Amino acid sequence: MRNTRLLTLLECAIFAALAMVVSFIPLDIGSSFSISLGMIPMYIIAIRRGFWAAGFSGLLWGLLHFVTGKAYILSPLQGFIEYIVAFVFIAFAGVFAVQVRNYLKAEQLGKAIGWAWGTMIIGGVARYFWHYLAGVLFWGAYAFKGWSAQLFSAVMNGISCLATVIVAGIIITILMRISPKLFLPK
């Protein structure tokens, strides 16, 4: 039991570091829109290890933004919401992890992929809800002329969430087809 816990913690740290490395690939358009490729390793750990591991790994990834200077901070509360709370909520990408793994074990790839997409959408929306909230509370001054903070944040974070889930989902689907064992811990 102790070795399993240690192995899970090590996997969380590795996937968080991998997420940080991948997030240096420049897919940002301005300060308001980005495709977060770091979600790919987050989705893998979420499916592989479940809710709590995804939340812990997300927390580590969020903290790495501070360490690497990749955090955009307007105030302590905004930094906390966007780099701690939002990243911990990646945990919700693990809500259907058991179903995905069970279908992979049963070699029912289509069902596994369907459940994986469901869990990735939930995890993406859970994370980006907090970015939306921070956008309304802190980034409203950067909204396009004539746009409310709510509309600007909903559009920018909604598009970022959608693009991230689609790109990451396609890659996760390919990885499940090529190497389903990547999602199954030993």
Side-chain angles (χ1 to χ4, degrees):
M1 181 67 138
R2 187 175 274 219
N3 288 337
T4 303
R5 228 180 275 157
L6 178 60
L7 181 60
T8 301
L9 291 174
L10 285 171
E11 284 183 20
C12 288
I14 290 167
F15 279 97
L18 185 57
M20 193 70 232
V21 169
V22 172
S23 64
F24 280 105
I25 297 171
L27 289 178
D28 299 341
I29 300 171
S31 62
S32 302
F33 172 76
S34 67
I35 297 173
S36 182
L37 293 179
M39 287 298 283
I40 297 165
M42 290 295 103
Y43 287 144
I44 295 170
I45 192 71
I47 293 168
R48 186 176 167 83
R49 293 291 182 177
F51 184 89
W52 296 109
F56 180 64
S57 200
L59 172 64
L60 294 176
W61 182 31
L63 292 172
L64 284 171
H65 282 76
F66 295 112
V67 175
T68 60
K70 202 163 181 333
Y72 302 100
I73 301 175
L74 297 176
S75 72
L77 182 57
Q78 175 268 332
F80 178 74
I81 290 170
E82 291 208 89
Y83 296 101
I84 305 297
V85 177
F87 282 78
V88 167
F89 266 67
I90 293 170
F92 285 90
V95 294
F96 297 134
V98 171
Q99 289 87 337
V100 176
R101 289 193 310 263
N102 285 342
Y103 281 120
L104 285 173
K105 289 175 190 171
E107 297 182 5
Q108 294 181 331
L109 189 59
K111 288 184 179 180
I113 290 170
W115 280 96
W117 274 90
T119 209
M120 289 185 287
I121 290 167
I122 292 169
V125 169
R127 174 188 168 190
Y128 278 93
F129 165 79
W130 292 100
H131 293 303
Y132 161 78
L133 184 63
V136 170
L137 297 175
F138 303 103
W139 296 96
Y142 299 95
F144 299 136
K145 186 176 179 168
W147 287 40
S148 68
Q150 294 86 352
L151 177 62
F152 181 74
S153 189
V155 169
M156 292 303 167
N157 285 299
I159 292 170
S160 293
C161 177
L162 183 62
T164 295
V165 169
I166 289 170
V167 170
I170 290 168
I171 293 169
I172 294 298
T173 299
I174 292 167
L175 288 172
M176 279 191 171
R177 290 183 185 281
I178 293 171
S179 181
K181 291 182 180 181
L182 173 64
F183 300 91
L184 300 171
K186 292 182 181 180

Short mmCIF file of all heavy atoms in Angstrom, two decimals, residues 24-69:
data_model
loop_
_atom_site.label_atom_id
_atom_site.label_comp_id
_atom_site.label_asym_id
_atom_site.label_seq_id
_atom_site.Cartn_x
_atom_site.Cartn_y
_atom_site.Cartn_z
N PHE A 24 5.07 25.36 -22.23
CA PHE A 24 5.97 26.35 -22.80
C PHE A 24 5.90 26.40 -24.33
O PHE A 24 6.48 27.28 -24.95
CB PHE A 24 7.42 26.12 -22.34
CG PHE A 24 7.68 26.67 -20.97
CD1 PHE A 24 7.79 25.82 -19.88
CD2 PHE A 24 7.79 28.03 -20.75
CE1 PHE A 24 8.02 26.32 -18.61
CE2 PHE A 24 8.02 28.54 -19.49
CZ PHE A 24 8.13 27.68 -18.41
N ILE A 25 5.21 25.44 -24.93
CA ILE A 25 4.97 25.51 -26.37
C ILE A 25 4.01 26.66 -26.61
O ILE A 25 2.91 26.68 -26.07
CB ILE A 25 4.39 24.18 -26.91
CG1 ILE A 25 5.39 23.04 -26.70
CG2 ILE A 25 4.01 24.31 -28.38
CD1 ILE A 25 4.84 21.66 -27.00
N PRO A 26 4.42 27.66 -27.40
CA PRO A 26 3.61 28.89 -27.51
C PRO A 26 2.35 28.72 -28.33
O PRO A 26 2.39 28.68 -29.55
CB PRO A 26 4.58 29.88 -28.17
CG PRO A 26 5.53 29.02 -28.95
CD PRO A 26 5.62 27.71 -28.20
N LEU A 27 1.22 28.62 -27.65
CA LEU A 27 -0.08 28.58 -28.31
C LEU A 27 -1.00 29.65 -27.72
O LEU A 27 -2.20 29.46 -27.61
CB LEU A 27 -0.72 27.20 -28.18
CG LEU A 27 -0.07 26.10 -29.01
CD1 LEU A 27 -0.76 24.77 -28.77
CD2 LEU A 27 -0.09 26.42 -30.49
N ASP A 28 -0.39 30.78 -27.32
CA ASP A 28 -1.15 31.90 -26.77
C ASP A 28 -1.38 32.91 -27.87
O ASP A 28 -0.48 33.21 -28.66
CB ASP A 28 -0.38 32.58 -25.63
CG ASP A 28 -0.11 31.64 -24.46
OD1 ASP A 28 -0.80 30.62 -24.36
OD2 ASP A 28 0.79 31.96 -23.67
N ILE A 29 -2.59 33.44 -27.91
CA ILE A 29 -2.91 34.54 -28.82
C ILE A 29 -3.34 35.70 -27.93
O ILE A 29 -4.44 35.69 -27.38
CB ILE A 29 -4.02 34.16 -29.81
CG1 ILE A 29 -3.57 32.96 -30.65
CG2 ILE A 29 -4.39 35.35 -30.69
CD1 ILE A 29 -4.64 32.35 -31.51
N GLY A 30 -2.43 36.63 -27.73
CA GLY A 30 -2.69 37.71 -26.79
C GLY A 30 -2.66 37.18 -25.37
O GLY A 30 -2.17 36.08 -25.10
N SER A 31 -3.19 37.96 -24.45
CA SER A 31 -3.17 37.55 -23.04
C SER A 31 -4.45 36.82 -22.64
O SER A 31 -4.55 36.32 -21.53
CB SER A 31 -2.98 38.78 -22.15
OG SER A 31 -4.09 39.65 -22.34
N SER A 32 -5.42 36.76 -23.55
CA SER A 32 -6.73 36.24 -23.16
C SER A 32 -7.09 34.90 -23.76
O SER A 32 -8.02 34.25 -23.31
CB SER A 32 -7.81 37.25 -23.56
OG SER A 32 -7.57 38.48 -22.95
N PHE A 33 -6.40 34.44 -24.79
CA PHE A 33 -6.74 33.18 -25.43
C PHE A 33 -5.50 32.29 -25.51
O PHE A 33 -4.43 32.74 -25.89
CB PHE A 33 -7.29 33.39 -26.85
CG PHE A 33 -7.46 32.11 -27.61
CD1 PHE A 33 -8.51 31.26 -27.34
CD2 PHE A 33 -6.53 31.73 -28.56
CE1 PHE A 33 -8.65 30.05 -28.02
CE2 PHE A 33 -6.66 30.53 -29.25
CZ PHE A 33 -7.73 29.70 -28.97
N SER A 34 -5.68 31.04 -25.16
CA SER A 34 -4.59 30.08 -25.29
C SER A 34 -5.16 28.68 -25.37
O SER A 34 -6.28 28.42 -24.94
CB SER A 34 -3.62 30.18 -24.10
OG SER A 34 -4.26 29.76 -22.93
N ILE A 35 -4.37 27.80 -25.95
CA ILE A 35 -4.66 26.37 -25.91
C ILE A 35 -3.66 25.79 -24.92
O ILE A 35 -2.46 25.90 -25.12
CB ILE A 35 -4.52 25.73 -27.30
CG1 ILE A 35 -5.54 26.34 -28.27
CG2 ILE A 35 -4.69 24.22 -27.20
CD1 ILE A 35 -5.38 25.90 -29.70
N SER A 36 -4.16 25.22 -23.86
CA SER A 36 -3.32 24.75 -22.77
C SER A 36 -2.91 23.29 -23.00
O SER A 36 -3.60 22.36 -22.57
CB SER A 36 -4.08 24.90 -21.45
OG SER A 36 -3.29 24.49 -20.37
N LEU A 37 -1.80 23.10 -23.67
CA LEU A 37 -1.32 21.75 -23.97
C LEU A 37 -0.94 20.98 -22.71
O LEU A 37 -0.90 19.75 -22.71
CB LEU A 37 -0.15 21.79 -24.94
CG LEU A 37 -0.45 22.27 -26.35
CD1 LEU A 37 0.81 22.28 -27.19
CD2 LEU A 37 -1.53 21.43 -27.01
N GLY A 38 -0.68 21.70 -21.63
CA GLY A 38 -0.37 21.04 -20.37
C GLY A 38 -1.51 20.19 -19.85
O GLY A 38 -1.31 19.32 -19.00
N MET A 39 -2.71 20.42 -20.38
CA MET A 39 -3.86 19.60 -19.96
C MET A 39 -3.72 18.16 -20.46
O MET A 39 -4.34 17.26 -19.89
CB MET A 39 -5.16 20.22 -20.44
CG MET A 39 -5.58 21.48 -19.69
SD MET A 39 -5.90 21.21 -17.93
CE MET A 39 -7.52 20.45 -18.00
N ILE A 40 -2.92 17.93 -21.48
CA ILE A 40 -2.75 16.55 -21.98
C ILE A 40 -2.17 15.65 -20.89
O ILE A 40 -2.78 14.62 -20.56
CB ILE A 40 -1.90 16.53 -23.28
CG1 ILE A 40 -2.62 17.30 -24.39
CG2 ILE A 40 -1.59 15.09 -23.70
CD1 ILE A 40 -1.74 17.66 -25.57
N PRO A 41 -1.03 16.00 -20.28
CA PRO A 41 -0.55 15.16 -19.17
C PRO A 41 -1.52 15.13 -17.98
O PRO A 41 -1.63 14.12 -17.29
CB PRO A 41 0.77 15.81 -18.76
CG PRO A 41 1.17 16.65 -19.91
CD PRO A 41 -0.06 17.05 -20.63
N MET A 42 -2.24 16.23 -17.77
CA MET A 42 -3.22 16.25 -16.67
C MET A 42 -4.35 15.25 -16.93
O MET A 42 -4.80 14.56 -16.01
CB MET A 42 -3.82 17.65 -16.49
CG MET A 42 -2.86 18.68 -15.94
SD MET A 42 -2.32 18.32 -14.25
CE MET A 42 -0.68 17.68 -14.54
N TYR A 43 -4.80 15.18 -18.17
CA TYR A 43 -5.85 14.22 -18.50
C TYR A 43 -5.33 12.78 -18.37
O TYR A 43 -6.07 11.89 -17.95
CB TYR A 43 -6.40 14.46 -19.91
CG TYR A 43 -7.26 15.69 -20.04
CD1 TYR A 43 -7.22 16.46 -21.19
CD2 TYR A 43 -8.13 16.09 -19.03
CE1 TYR A 43 -8.03 17.59 -21.33
CE2 TYR A 43 -8.93 17.21 -19.15
CZ TYR A 43 -8.88 17.95 -20.30
OH TYR A 43 -9.67 19.07 -20.43
N ILE A 44 -4.08 12.56 -18.72
CA ILE A 44 -3.52 11.21 -18.58
C ILE A 44 -3.49 10.80 -17.12
O ILE A 44 -3.96 9.71 -16.76
CB ILE A 44 -2.13 11.12 -19.23
CG1 ILE A 44 -2.22 11.33 -20.74
CG2 ILE A 44 -1.48 9.76 -18.90
CD1 ILE A 44 -0.87 11.49 -21.44
N ILE A 45 -2.96 11.66 -16.24
CA ILE A 45 -2.90 11.30 -14.82
C ILE A 45 -4.30 11.19 -14.22
O ILE A 45 -4.56 10.35 -13.37
CB ILE A 45 -1.99 12.26 -14.00
CG1 ILE A 45 -1.70 11.72 -12.61
CG2 ILE A 45 -2.58 13.65 -13.89
CD1 ILE A 45 -0.80 10.53 -12.55
N ALA A 46 -5.22 12.03 -14.69
CA ALA A 46 -6.60 11.97 -14.19
C ALA A 46 -7.24 10.64 -14.52
O ALA A 46 -7.90 10.03 -13.67
CB ALA A 46 -7.43 13.12 -14.77
N ILE A 47 -7.06 10.18 -15.74
CA ILE A 47 -7.64 8.89 -16.14
C ILE A 47 -6.88 7.74 -15.49
O ILE A 47 -7.46 6.78 -15.01
CB ILE A 47 -7.65 8.76 -17.68
CG1 ILE A 47 -8.64 9.78 -18.27
CG2 ILE A 47 -8.00 7.34 -18.09
CD1 ILE A 47 -8.53 9.95 -19.78
N ARG A 48 -5.58 7.87 -15.42
CA ARG A 48 -4.72 6.82 -14.88
C ARG A 48 -4.91 6.61 -13.38
O ARG A 48 -4.96 5.48 -12.90
CB ARG A 48 -3.27 7.18 -15.19
CG ARG A 48 -2.26 6.16 -14.84
CD ARG A 48 -0.87 6.63 -15.29
NE ARG A 48 0.15 5.80 -14.71
CZ ARG A 48 0.54 4.63 -15.18
NH1 ARG A 48 -0.03 4.15 -16.28
NH2 ARG A 48 1.47 3.93 -14.59
N ARG A 49 -5.05 7.74 -12.63
CA ARG A 49 -5.05 7.64 -11.17
C ARG A 49 -6.29 8.20 -10.48
O ARG A 49 -6.47 8.03 -9.29
CB ARG A 49 -3.81 8.33 -10.59
CG ARG A 49 -2.52 7.65 -10.92
CD ARG A 49 -2.41 6.33 -10.19
NE ARG A 49 -1.12 5.70 -10.48
CZ ARG A 49 -0.74 4.58 -9.92
NH1 ARG A 49 -1.52 3.97 -9.05
NH2 ARG A 49 0.41 4.05 -10.23
N GLY A 50 -7.13 8.94 -11.23
CA GLY A 50 -8.39 9.39 -10.64
C GLY A 50 -8.38 10.81 -10.10
O GLY A 50 -7.44 11.59 -10.28
N PHE A 51 -9.48 11.13 -9.42
CA PHE A 51 -9.81 12.47 -8.95
C PHE A 51 -8.73 13.10 -8.09
O PHE A 51 -8.24 14.20 -8.37
CB PHE A 51 -11.14 12.39 -8.18
CG PHE A 51 -11.67 13.71 -7.72
CD1 PHE A 51 -12.50 14.46 -8.53
CD2 PHE A 51 -11.36 14.20 -6.45
CE1 PHE A 51 -13.01 15.68 -8.10
CE2 PHE A 51 -11.86 15.41 -6.02
CZ PHE A 51 -12.68 16.15 -6.85
N TRP A 52 -8.35 12.44 -7.00
CA TRP A 52 -7.41 13.05 -6.04
C TRP A 52 -6.03 13.23 -6.64
O TRP A 52 -5.39 14.26 -6.41
CB TRP A 52 -7.35 12.22 -4.76
CG TRP A 52 -8.67 12.23 -4.06
CD1 TRP A 52 -9.54 11.18 -3.95
CD2 TRP A 52 -9.32 13.34 -3.44
NE1 TRP A 52 -10.68 11.58 -3.29
CE2 TRP A 52 -10.56 12.90 -2.96
CE3 TRP A 52 -8.96 14.68 -3.24
CZ2 TRP A 52 -11.45 13.73 -2.30
CZ3 TRP A 52 -9.84 15.51 -2.58
CH2 TRP A 52 -11.07 15.03 -2.11
N ALA A 53 -5.58 12.27 -7.40
CA ALA A 53 -4.27 12.40 -8.04
C ALA A 53 -4.28 13.54 -9.05
O ALA A 53 -3.32 14.31 -9.13
CB ALA A 53 -3.88 11.09 -8.72
N ALA A 54 -5.37 13.68 -9.79
CA ALA A 54 -5.48 14.78 -10.75
C ALA A 54 -5.47 16.12 -10.04
O ALA A 54 -4.83 17.08 -10.50
CB ALA A 54 -6.73 14.63 -11.60
N GLY A 55 -6.16 16.21 -8.91
CA GLY A 55 -6.16 17.45 -8.14
C GLY A 55 -4.79 17.80 -7.60
O GLY A 55 -4.35 18.95 -7.66
N PHE A 56 -4.09 16.80 -7.07
CA PHE A 56 -2.74 17.03 -6.54
C PHE A 56 -1.78 17.41 -7.66
O PHE A 56 -0.99 18.34 -7.53
CB PHE A 56 -2.24 15.81 -5.77
CG PHE A 56 -0.87 15.98 -5.20
CD1 PHE A 56 -0.63 16.94 -4.22
CD2 PHE A 56 0.19 15.21 -5.64
CE1 PHE A 56 0.64 17.12 -3.69
CE2 PHE A 56 1.47 15.37 -5.12
CZ PHE A 56 1.70 16.33 -4.14
N SER A 57 -1.86 16.69 -8.76
CA SER A 57 -1.00 16.99 -9.90
C SER A 57 -1.30 18.39 -10.44
O SER A 57 -0.39 19.15 -10.79
CB SER A 57 -1.21 15.93 -10.99
OG SER A 57 -0.14 15.91 -11.88
N GLY A 58 -2.59 18.75 -10.49
CA GLY A 58 -2.98 20.08 -10.92
C GLY A 58 -2.42 21.15 -10.00
O GLY A 58 -1.94 22.20 -10.44
N LEU A 59 -2.49 20.90 -8.68
CA LEU A 59 -1.92 21.84 -7.71
C LEU A 59 -0.43 22.04 -7.97
O LEU A 59 0.06 23.17 -8.00
CB LEU A 59 -2.15 21.33 -6.28
CG LEU A 59 -1.44 22.13 -5.17
CD1 LEU A 59 -1.97 23.55 -5.10
CD2 LEU A 59 -1.58 21.40 -3.84
N LEU A 60 0.29 20.95 -8.16
CA LEU A 60 1.73 21.05 -8.43
C LEU A 60 2.00 21.84 -9.71
O LEU A 60 2.89 22.70 -9.75
CB LEU A 60 2.36 19.66 -8.54
CG LEU A 60 2.38 18.82 -7.27
CD1 LEU A 60 2.94 17.43 -7.56
CD2 LEU A 60 3.18 19.51 -6.17
N TRP A 61 1.21 21.58 -10.74
CA TRP A 61 1.37 22.30 -12.01
C TRP A 61 1.10 23.79 -11.81
O TRP A 61 1.84 24.64 -12.30
CB TRP A 61 0.46 21.69 -13.08
CG TRP A 61 0.56 22.32 -14.43
CD1 TRP A 61 1.66 22.90 -15.00
CD2 TRP A 61 -0.47 22.40 -15.40
NE1 TRP A 61 1.36 23.35 -16.27
CE2 TRP A 61 0.06 23.05 -16.54
CE3 TRP A 61 -1.79 21.99 -15.43
CZ2 TRP A 61 -0.69 23.30 -17.68
CZ3 TRP A 61 -2.54 22.23 -16.58
CH2 TRP A 61 -2.00 22.88 -17.68
N GLY A 62 0.06 24.11 -11.07
CA GLY A 62 -0.25 25.51 -10.78
C GLY A 62 0.89 26.20 -10.05
O GLY A 62 1.28 27.33 -10.38
N LEU A 63 1.44 25.52 -9.03
CA LEU A 63 2.56 26.09 -8.28
C LEU A 63 3.80 26.27 -9.16
O LEU A 63 4.56 27.24 -8.98
CB LEU A 63 2.89 25.21 -7.07
CG LEU A 63 1.82 25.17 -5.97
CD1 LEU A 63 2.16 24.12 -4.93
CD2 LEU A 63 1.64 26.54 -5.34
N LEU A 64 3.99 25.37 -10.11
CA LEU A 64 5.14 25.50 -11.02
C LEU A 64 5.06 26.78 -11.87
O LEU A 64 6.09 27.29 -12.30
CB LEU A 64 5.25 24.26 -11.92
CG LEU A 64 5.82 23.02 -11.24
CD1 LEU A 64 5.69 21.80 -12.16
CD2 LEU A 64 7.28 23.24 -10.85
N HIS A 65 3.85 27.29 -12.08
CA HIS A 65 3.72 28.55 -12.81
C HIS A 65 4.40 29.69 -12.06
O HIS A 65 5.00 30.58 -12.67
CB HIS A 65 2.24 28.89 -13.06
CG HIS A 65 1.64 28.13 -14.18
ND1 HIS A 65 1.27 26.80 -14.07
CD2 HIS A 65 1.34 28.50 -15.45
CE1 HIS A 65 0.77 26.39 -15.22
NE2 HIS A 65 0.81 27.41 -16.07
N PHE A 66 4.32 29.67 -10.73
CA PHE A 66 4.98 30.70 -9.92
C PHE A 66 6.50 30.55 -10.01
O PHE A 66 7.22 31.52 -10.19
CB PHE A 66 4.55 30.60 -8.45
CG PHE A 66 3.10 30.91 -8.21
CD1 PHE A 66 2.23 29.91 -7.81
CD2 PHE A 66 2.60 32.19 -8.38
CE1 PHE A 66 0.89 30.17 -7.57
CE2 PHE A 66 1.26 32.48 -8.15
CZ PHE A 66 0.40 31.47 -7.75
N VAL A 67 6.97 29.31 -9.87
CA VAL A 67 8.40 29.03 -9.85
C VAL A 67 9.07 29.39 -11.19
O VAL A 67 10.18 29.89 -11.21
CB VAL A 67 8.64 27.54 -9.51
CG1 VAL A 67 10.10 27.17 -9.61
CG2 VAL A 67 8.09 27.21 -8.13
N THR A 68 8.36 29.13 -12.29
CA THR A 68 8.95 29.36 -13.61
C THR A 68 8.70 30.77 -14.15
O THR A 68 9.14 31.11 -15.24
CB THR A 68 8.38 28.35 -14.63
OG1 THR A 68 6.97 28.52 -14.72
CG2 THR A 68 8.74 26.92 -14.25
N GLY A 69 7.95 31.58 -13.40
CA GLY A 69 7.66 32.94 -13.85
C GLY A 69 6.60 33.00 -14.94
O GLY A 69 6.50 33.98 -15.66
#
